[in-house]
Amino acid sequence: MQENVTSTESVLEELIRMTTSGDRNREERDRKREGTKSDELGSDGTPLEVENGTNGAIDDVQQELDELVAEVEGTLPIEDVSLDEALIKENLEEVLLLLVALRGETHGKELLSDLSRLFDANLSPGTVYPSLHDLEEEDVLSMHAKVQTKEYSIADDEYVRETVEETMVQHLSFGLLLYAFLTRF
């Protein structure tokens, strides 16, 4: 049993290391993003800030998620991390909060596209939009009506952090329980 305690401690130490290095990586990415913007003049001669690349925001989110998955793969003794669509559906609110937080501000169609492209989860609007509306009603997300869409952003950073952390602990606990079982099997 002591072996499992040691394994648990090493996993938690690795998570702490990931969090610390993640903060440093996030700061570095933010500095790089600020450096990837160039000034161009609009038709009226006023400066416009335009991000280099055709899919800047999509590429940033994809790169950020790729880096997160790489950190997980580097920690876990497996070759490829894939998430089952049912798992994404069961944790939809947390995944939506993650995507909205990464984007800063986004709309439902973009989130549906992210879910499909990044997690291979083809969820219907009838599944995603009610979750967005619930999060808005709970004042976790704020909604800004645009001309043809609604943009969502994080309204309660503390709630998001606590919710994601609670879900993480539950999944880790369950994973460690399964690991403890496998060591006896």
Side-chain angles (χ1 to χ4, degrees):
M1 193 66 182
Q2 180 65 23
E3 182 181 331
N4 291 338
V5 172
T6 304
S7 296
T8 302
E9 288 174 2
S10 64
V11 168
L12 293 176
E13 286 171 4
E14 183 63 23
L15 287 170
I16 291 168
R17 185 198 61 74
M18 284 174 53
T19 303
T20 305
S21 69
D23 291 341
R24 284 191 299 260
N25 291 341
R26 193 174 312 107
E27 290 170 5
E28 185 176 319
R29 280 191 303 276
D30 290 344
R31 281 193 301 275
K32 284 181 183 176
R33 283 186 193 139
E34 288 173 9
T36 62
K37 294 187 179 179
S38 63
D39 292 329
E40 293 183 8
L41 296 178
S43 59
D44 62 354
T46 59
L48 295 174
E49 258 193 5
V50 177
E51 194 162 318
N52 294 331
T54 56
N55 295 324
I58 292 170
D59 291 343
D60 288 347
V61 171
Q62 179 68 46
Q63 180 181 353
E64 183 111 14
L65 285 169
D66 287 345
E67 289 172 4
L68 291 171
V69 169
E71 285 182 37
V72 170
E73 287 176 341
T75 302
L76 297 175
I78 58 174
E79 292 192 24
D80 187 31
V81 173
S82 63
L83 303 172
D84 185 74
E85 185 172 309
L87 183 64
I88 297 299
K89 198 177 219 181
E90 289 171 19
N91 295 278
L92 183 58
E93 285 190 0
E94 290 84 353
V95 173
L96 290 173
L97 291 173
L98 169 89
L99 292 171
V100 172
L102 287 173
R103 289 193 170 277
E105 187 172 76
T106 188
H107 54 85
K109 284 185 180 181
E110 200 165 42
L111 292 168
L112 284 165
S113 175
D114 285 346
L115 289 165
S116 175
R117 190 179 64 257
L118 302 172
F119 297 103
D120 202 25
N122 296 309
L123 304 181
S124 72
T127 300
V128 174
Y129 283 100
S131 291
L132 289 171
H133 294 218
D134 290 347
L135 290 165
E136 179 193 355
E137 285 178 13
E138 295 168 10
D139 294 326
V140 176
L141 292 179
S142 59
M143 187 275 295
H144 312 283
K146 302 289 182 176
V147 175
Q148 293 183 351
T149 189
K150 296 176 181 179
E151 296 275 327
Y152 296 93
S153 60
I154 301 295
D156 188 345
D157 291 334
E158 186 177 326
Y159 176 87
V160 171
R161 182 167 183 75
E162 288 173 2
T163 300
V164 171
E165 186 174 355
E166 181 181 321
T167 301
M168 176 198 69
V169 168
Q170 289 177 5
H171 285 277
L172 283 172
S173 299
F174 185 65
L176 290 171
L177 174 64
L178 294 176
Y179 177 77
F181 170 76
L182 286 175
T183 61
R184 293 182 181 186
F185 187 63

